[in-house]
Amino acid sequence: MPLAQRLDQVETSAIRELFKLLGKPGIISFAGGFPDSAMFDVAGIRQAVNAALEQEPGGALQYGATEGYQPLREQLAAFMRAKGVRDLAPEQLIVTTGSQQALDLLGKCLVDPGSKAIVEGPTFLATIQCFRLYGADLVSAPIDGDGVRVDELERLIREHRPRFVYLIPTFGNPSGAMLSLERRRRVLELAVQYQTLVIEDDPYGDLYFDAPPPPSLLALSAEVPGSRDWLVHCGSLSKVLSPGLRVGWLVAPPELLAKATMCKQFSDAHTSTFAQATAAQYLAGGHMPATLARVREVYGRRAGVMGEALRRELGPAIDFVPPRGGLFVWARLTGAGGKLADGNAFARKAIEQGVAFVPGVPFYCANPDPSTLRLSFATADEDRIREGIARLARALD
Ligand code: PMP
């Protein structure tokens, strides 16, 4: 089969391969990257579906505008304004089929073969694959518990003059890290100083546990003159409401937004109008605040239970920063006490013990740290989390 050469630049995700092993009966999985199905607001979504079909069946079932269903664009702009983004008009965003599509459109619009782009090390695996498919030459910027290291980021921008920098500043996947306010300001200053586009991918920002995170880069851009012209923001309803709806959105400077819209037209014409009308009714119906309160509370408790269990069961053999939001604990095996320090080998032993997680290596575009791993606390209840971590401890012995 004569396949396109660009396919040589990507391979099937290591995570998908691992998922094949998860069918084993009784396995406790911390491997997924998704929310808990038991948390879906089925009643609220049912009401929204009914309202969409009753009030505007034509709009909900007909072809629609590539930019998105206008009532949803209005709701999403209001949702963002409520989170501190000043002056966001509905016309400044387009609805995308998940934020994953926004990333793909950005790849299409911004990447030529060999284009340099900076991503965090580690970062979202599908982003690495998506940008590489278009030929991106990815550069890895190191992170710590406060997100990307801005001193290193500046050095890399000067050295590589990238087309863009892609960041997940708030409760990153897989890092769970929260970029500090001071660093957020610095990222925006760097964007202006070096005239470099910054892509903020923010599917997790609403999932905070105790206190809200600092404002998104998009919200903060009002304080850093000129930075809005160099900023792209991707949002998503997947982690807080339902990934199956496939509703995300893209905010970008006008020229880029117009090109992304054009590419979306050739790709899927528009995001499902049925899903968009449902999401619009859900937001208009005022269901979101209660849903957010519930997911924050449940995931916060699960994160706490996982953190305590890890400290208790694995002690100094594991190192991590307790996440303040999102779905993930990002951890490093220290090798203390002569224990295993390799994430891949640990993942195999863990599966034998009936527990799964994702080793950290695939999340790096370069220079992977083999001692790392990602654990999701989202889908197991508290007892299963405790049991799963006890199994992990056995796998490490
Ligand atoms: N960005 C990040 C960082 C993610 O973790 C995910 C989902 N795992 C996405 C984007 C894509 O989400 P969706 O397409 O469902 O909005």
Side-chain angles (χ1 to χ4, degrees):
M1 179 80 64
L3 296 171
Q5 278 176 13
R6 72 174 75 86
L7 290 173
D8 297 344
Q9 292 153 170
V10 289
E11 52 196 32
T12 318
S13 123
I15 297 186
R16 273 183 193 281
E17 294 302 310
L18 183 87
F19 275 27
K20 290 183 190 154
L21 302 172
L22 296 185
K24 227 177 114 175
I27 206 142
I28 296 177
S29 177
F30 302 135
F34 33 82
D36 187 351
S37 317
M39 304 275 295
F40 294 146
D41 177 13
V42 178
I45 292 177
R46 185 181 292 119
Q47 272 181 28
V49 168
N50 288 339
L53 290 176
E54 277 158 24
Q55 291 173 27
E56 216 195 329
L61 298 172
Q62 187 53 279
Y63 280 122
T66 302
E67 290 84 352
Y69 179 64
Q70 194 59 20
L72 179 61
R73 293 172 87 194
E74 285 163 16
Q75 287 296 329
L76 292 174
F79 184 57
M80 298 297 290
R81 286 196 301 270
K83 293 192 285 179
V85 181
R86 276 185 242 163
D87 306 328
L88 185 69
E91 291 66 35
Q92 288 171 303
L93 64 84
I94 64 169
V95 178
T96 56
T97 302
S99 51
Q100 187 66 54
Q101 186 186 42
L103 299 172
D104 185 57
L105 295 172
L106 292 167
K108 276 194 176 129
C109 293
L110 298 171
V111 177
D112 287 316
S115 298
K116 295 265 179 135
I118 298 179
V119 302
E120 287 156 291
T123 192
F124 179 40
L125 183 53
T127 304
I128 297 179
Q129 307 274 51
C130 165
F131 292 160
R132 277 197 176 142
L133 185 62
Y134 295 108
D137 182 3
L138 298 180
V139 176
S140 183
I143 64 158
D144 60 25
D146 287 329
V148 73
R149 285 185 40 199
V150 284
D151 51 344
E152 280 295 308
L153 183 61
E154 178 168 17
R155 189 183 64 74
L156 292 169
I157 292 174
R158 289 167 84 114
E159 184 183 336
H160 296 285
R161 297 286 166 176
R163 285 270 166 97
F164 60 85
V165 174
Y166 166 82
L167 302 174
I168 313 165
T170 314
F171 318 132
N173 176 8
S175 72
M178 186 179 86
L179 192 66
S180 66
L181 180 60
E182 197 187 341
R183 288 190 186 181
R184 284 172 198 246
R185 284 216 176 83
R186 187 70 194 131
V187 166
L188 292 171
E189 285 164 9
L190 292 175
V192 178
Q193 185 180 343
Y194 294 99
Q195 310 224 316
T196 299
L197 202 64
V198 171
I199 298 172
E200 173 178 55
D201 188 10
D202 189 25
Y204 300 103
D206 289 311
L207 284 182
Y208 57 82
F209 303 148
D210 298 319
S216 64
L217 295 177
L218 186 61
L220 206 58
S221 65
E223 291 179 22
V224 181
S227 61
R228 184 77 175 261
D229 297 341
W230 296 103
L231 192 58
V232 173
H233 179 97
C234 307
S236 174
L237 293 183
S238 288
K239 311 298 172 169
V240 288
L241 183 59
S242 151
L245 279 179
R246 308 308 299 131
V247 170
W249 60 97
L250 172 67
V251 182
E255 189 184 354
L256 177 56
L257 197 66
K259 297 290 186 203
T261 308
M262 181 182 75
C263 290
K264 181 172 165 67
Q265 202 176 345
F266 313 148
S267 174
D268 68 352
H270 59 79
T271 296
S272 157
T273 42
F274 188 58
Q276 292 191 74
T278 300
Q281 289 288 350
Y282 191 88
L283 291 165
H287 301 282
M288 202 52 141
T291 298
L292 287 175
R294 205 176 63 252
V295 290
R296 284 170 187 151
E297 207 259 320
V298 172
Y299 292 141
R301 243 182 310 119
R302 290 179 184 174
V305 167
M306 181 175 272
E308 281 162 26
L310 282 169
R311 294 243 187 272
R312 186 176 62 244
E313 303 275 354
L314 287 91
I318 199 157
D319 188 26
F320 62 95
V321 178
R324 286 177 276 189
L327 303 180
F328 306 111
V329 171
W330 177 248
R332 200 173 58 80
L333 298 171
T334 62
K339 307 254 180 172
L340 211 57
D342 181 81
N344 282 317
F346 187 32
R348 280 193 299 276
K349 289 191 68 186
I351 295 256
E352 284 166 23
Q353 290 293 336
V355 58
F357 61 83
V358 187
V361 168
F363 296 106
Y364 291 87
C365 69
N367 311 319
D369 177 348
S371 70
T372 52
L373 49 120
R374 188 193 76 178
L375 300 156
S376 166
F377 45 78
T379 52
D381 66 25
E382 293 169 39
D383 286 341
R384 301 274 288 170
I385 291 175
R386 287 190 196 95
E387 169 60 21
I389 301 298
R391 291 182 190 179
L392 270 191
R394 288 200 286 279
L396 201 55
D397 273 337

